[in-house]
Amino acid sequence: MKRKYLFGPVPSRRLGYSLGVDIVPYKTCTLDCVYCECGKTTKLRNRRSSYVSASDVIRELSDYLSKEPKLDYITFSGGGEPVLNTEIGKIIEFIKTSYDAYKVALLTNGTLFGDKKAREDVSMCDLIIPSVDAASEKAFKKINRPAPGISASSVIKGIELLNREVSGKLWVEVFVIPGINDNEGELRKIKEALIRIGPEKVQLNTLDRPGTVKDLKSAGREKLLNICEYFSPLKTEIIGRYGGSKKRDFASSDMKEKMLLLLSRRPCTLEDLSEVFSPQKNDLEKYLKELKNSGRIQSYKGERGLFYRAPEEENKKAER
Ligand code: SF4
């Protein structure tokens, strides 16, 4: 079955081998974060809608999960905000009732949890990771560039309510961008917000792939270590690059298409791709060359080396 909503499994820095589920059209989001690795938000939205029907996603999931793949998580993520899709609750319920051996994670920007229905929809997740990159409205606008009507205070309040109501784990991610949210005043406000939310842990992230805005810097390790200390007694960790040894060979005849599907959602280096698909870098290099020559992917330099990415037309094809 041709995959439209599932991608990977990808080696996630936090979740091990994670099957991605992408249930909103490419770059439909409530935010337009300066650091977004998926590109600029083209559909900035603040209201939920049934962007993709649950039955279409469930059909794909059934086909994939019936083969009993080894996965650490099934993760709602991708090129937009998954909670914008009002069908998310039905899809999570399907996984937890029909394939309950699999754990479900949700990577979310946390902007929609002021809505009780949105909180109920995600309540069966085993793990939810919302983001709190800013606590002042000024920094929130600068780093997250929200849709109208979304404020830093409403996001923090919504996540606070969510953590009181769900039984699964809740971690909070803070994306640190030097010069925007790493000053003492902002960090103090973020810490106060985190204490109110009460997550199991806080994860510090910084630029790993090129962001939407050029010339953003990533925070150095020393800076992140200082923030870990500053956030004490909150349990805080720095997200490292995936270091697992569970490489699995996903090589197959349609590997090129699978690579393309992944690159349409997430820019990757050759190293990243070899962790997902196969240790045979020579094959991957050959496919990358073919895809590049046919104009289906582009490459550009980032801090970790040369990144490959499928341009917007390929994202549109993946949505069809
Ligand atoms: S980083 Fe996430 S929340 Fe921010 S614009 Fe990209 S998809 Fe949306």
Side-chain angles (χ1 to χ4, degrees):
M1 179 185 246
K2 197 164 163 49
R3 290 208 242 153
K4 194 168 159 189
Y5 308 110
L6 307 185
F7 62 99
V10 294
S12 156
R13 289 184 289 180
R14 295 172 271 198
L15 305 172
Y17 266 84
S18 159
L19 176 73
V21 187
D22 190 359
I23 56 167
V24 289
Y26 177 70
K27 277 327 308 260
T28 303
C29 197
T30 49
L31 303 178
D32 181 20
C33 305
V34 289
Y35 59 78
C36 187
E37 65 183 37
C38 306
K40 187 160 175 51
T41 296
T42 46
K43 297 162 202 108
L44 190 65
R45 303 284 183 267
N46 58 11
R47 294 182 64 164
R48 303 181 72 208
S49 179
S50 64
Y51 287 100
V52 167
S53 97
S55 55
D56 289 348
V57 181
I58 287 172
R59 201 171 308 121
E60 227 173 272
L61 273 167
S62 298
D63 179 66
Y64 188 82
L65 298 178
S66 64
K67 296 171 191 120
E68 300 180 9
K70 285 197 168 57
L71 299 170
D72 297 310
Y73 273 100
I74 296 172
T75 306
F76 288 84
S77 61
E81 171 51 41
V83 185
L84 267 173
N85 191 338
T86 46
E87 303 273 293
I88 190 170
K90 291 185 201 158
I91 305 168
I92 295 170
E93 192 181 347
F94 164 77
I95 300 168
K96 295 312 291 178
T97 50
S98 305
Y99 292 94
D100 68 337
Y102 289 104
K103 287 192 283 184
V104 174
L106 168 67
L107 303 187
T108 168
N109 61 27
T111 50
L112 295 164
F113 295 128
D115 174 0
K116 192 171 190 317
K117 179 72 175 69
R119 299 197 298 274
E120 284 168 4
D121 282 349
V122 304
S123 60
M124 288 174 91
C125 286
D126 298 280
L127 171 64
I128 302 176
I129 312 182
S131 299
V132 176
D133 303 328
S136 74
E137 302 304 333
K138 194 174 163 202
F140 183 59
K141 283 196 175 126
K142 203 163 176 191
I143 193 167
N144 300 119
R145 303 187 296 188
I150 298 174
S151 62
S153 59
S154 67
V155 176
I156 291 162
K157 184 75 201 154
I159 300 173
E160 203 181 323
L161 289 171
L162 179 74
N163 200 25
R164 277 193 222 144
E165 294 170 13
V166 295
S167 54
K169 292 190 242 178
L170 187 130
W171 303 345
V172 173
E173 176 180 317
V174 180
F175 204 100
V176 181
I177 298 282
I180 305 185
N181 64 350
D182 65 338
N183 61 76
E184 206 185 326
E186 192 60 37
L187 289 173
R188 181 174 37 80
K189 289 194 182 94
I190 294 173
K191 181 179 176 180
E192 286 164 3
L194 292 171
I195 288 171
R196 283 206 305 281
I197 292 168
E200 188 184 287
K201 65 177 162 182
V202 177
Q203 298 189 312
L204 300 183
N205 199 355
T206 193
L207 222 58
D208 183 46
R209 298 177 159 78
T212 308
V213 169
K214 281 201 169 66
D215 301 327
L216 290 175
K217 295 266 175 287
S218 75
R221 185 163 172 81
E222 203 181 324
K223 177 87 200 174
L224 296 177
L225 283 171
N226 287 342
I227 298 174
C228 282
E229 210 175 300
Y230 180 73
F231 279 176
S232 170
L234 290 156
K235 191 175 165 200
T236 307
E237 66 187 16
I238 298 166
I239 307 176
R241 287 210 57 228
Y242 183 77
S245 57
K246 294 186 281 180
K247 281 190 178 182
R248 291 169 196 165
D249 191 352
F250 290 87
S252 69
S253 54
D254 60 349
M255 189 155 89
K256 220 158 56 165
E257 286 307 311
K258 285 185 181 167
M259 282 169 63
L260 201 54
L261 202 59
L262 176 57
L263 294 175
S264 71
R265 261 124 184 157
R266 177 175 175 173
C268 294
T269 62
L270 177 62
E271 202 60 44
D272 298 334
L273 289 167
S274 80
E275 284 182 351
V276 179
F277 294 101
S278 157
Q280 298 302 320
K281 283 195 185 160
N282 288 351
D283 289 345
L284 292 174
E285 274 173 329
K286 189 180 95 191
Y287 291 135
L288 284 170
K289 200 169 168 194
E290 285 169 16
L291 287 168
K292 203 169 167 202
N293 288 344
S294 60
R296 300 187 77 188
I297 61 168
Q298 298 162 347
S299 64
Y300 49 93
K301 278 210 168 106
E303 285 198 13
R304 283 201 293 111
L306 195 62
F307 282 82
Y308 297 91
R309 164 186 210 148
E312 207 160 328
E313 303 83 69
E314 291 299 332
N315 286 299
K316 285 184 187 143
K317 275 184 209 160
E319 282 168 23
R320 274 177 219 140

